[in-house]
Amino acid sequence: MTPYELVKSARSGSRPTGLDYIANIVTDFMELHGDRRFADDPAIVGGVGRLGDTPVTVIAIEKGRTAKERARRNSGSPNPEGYRKALRLMKQAEKFGRPVICFVDTAGAFCGIGAEERGQGQAIAENLLEMSTLCVPIISVLVGEGGSGGALALAMADRVWMLENAVYSVISPEGCASILWKDAAKAPEAAASLGLTAADAKALGVIDKILPEKDLGQTPFYESLRRALEAELEGLSRDAELLTKRYDRFRAMGAAESLQKETV
């Protein structure tokens, strides 16, 4: 598939949503609501459950399936209260020593007037800051669209995985084309230049692992993902240098090769 075909695949309504991953991978899930400042944001679902025998905090961006559900979930574009809810649950996870698992699928944070008035940019920035110092393991899985800071706000993790037909980009192809060429119809050309595929992200060191989509949405797919998450969390939970490695991981992104050699 071309990069733009991958974008359309990542946006497909037939792909599993965040709630599908929770229902098929996590047991005894109990959803928790609200940011204790403004409201509950249905675009982000979060709560506690079990991954195998391990208590975990799970946070997922939920787009919805039907038109009515997508309207209620804002098509998976969170407001600031959604990011604050996610952060509240992550800090709670730290307090009780629970690992955090995030499922990311968003075109980007909501850019409405109300969201800006309630501090959208600050909410995203606070998530990045706080997640960088969280003392429990964090794994984020990009399962569809990974759009800009709206996705990164739940992906400052020890391990970032990506489904093979997911995308991860600083801007949508349509937005990029509108800015560069004043023509959204050039989105396919923009997609080819943005380096938004899983292979691109892996080559750049932005993600750690590409997950095959064989049997996507079926029991074998979920079982394979559950086992991979369990194994990864077991290793991360024993790592005494978790915070240092997380810092080094993101600090090295985008560094010029000459600068990297100077610091060795």
Side-chain angles (χ1 to χ4, degrees), residues 127-158:
N127 272 37
L128 298 177
L129 174 63
E130 295 291 343
M131 288 181 76
S132 69
T133 62
L134 213 63
C135 294
V136 291
I138 312 169
I139 299 177
S140 292
V141 186
L142 291 142
V143 298
E145 284 187 276
S148 193
L152 185 59
L154 293 181
M156 179 72 76
D158 300 296

Side-chain angles (χ1 to χ4, degrees), residues 20 30 68 74 81 83 121 123 156 181 225 229-230 243:
D20 292 322
M30 177 179 291
K68 183 177 180 180
N74 207 26
E81 50 269 21
Y83 292 114
M156 179 72 76
W181 298 292
L225 179 54
L229 288 169
E230 284 183 308
L243 285 178

Side-chain angles (χ1 to χ4, degrees), residues 73-203:
R73 304 280 185 183
N74 207 26
S75 295
S77 290
N79 279 280
E81 50 269 21
Y83 292 114
R84 286 195 289 262
K85 172 172 69 173
L87 181 58
R88 178 175 76 82
L89 296 181
M90 286 188 276
K91 296 298 286 184
Q92 181 192 78
E94 181 179 47
K95 178 179 180 180
F96 292 102
R98 291 191 298 263
V100 176
I101 299 172
C102 299
F103 295 104
V104 180
D105 184 13
T106 181
F110 188 55
C111 56
I113 293 175
E116 296 301 328
E117 289 175 339
R118 297 193 301 276
Q120 185 71 286
Q122 182 178 357
I124 292 172
E126 286 178 348
N127 272 37
L128 298 177
L129 174 63
E130 295 291 343
M131 288 181 76
S132 69
T133 62
L134 213 63
C135 294
V136 291
I138 312 169
I139 299 177
S140 292
V141 186
L142 291 142
V143 298
E145 284 187 276
S148 193
L152 185 59
L154 293 181
M156 179 72 76
D158 300 296
R159 297 290 184 271
V160 180
W161 296 351
M162 192 169 171
L163 268 62
E164 62 181 335
N165 291 331
V167 294
Y168 198 15
S169 177
V170 69
I171 191 173
S172 70
E174 295 84 1
C176 178
S178 297
I179 292 171
L180 292 183
W181 298 292
K182 313 300 181 187
D183 183 3
K186 290 186 177 290
E189 185 176 344
S193 302
L194 281 168
L196 46 67
T197 70
D200 292 328
K202 182 71 166 60

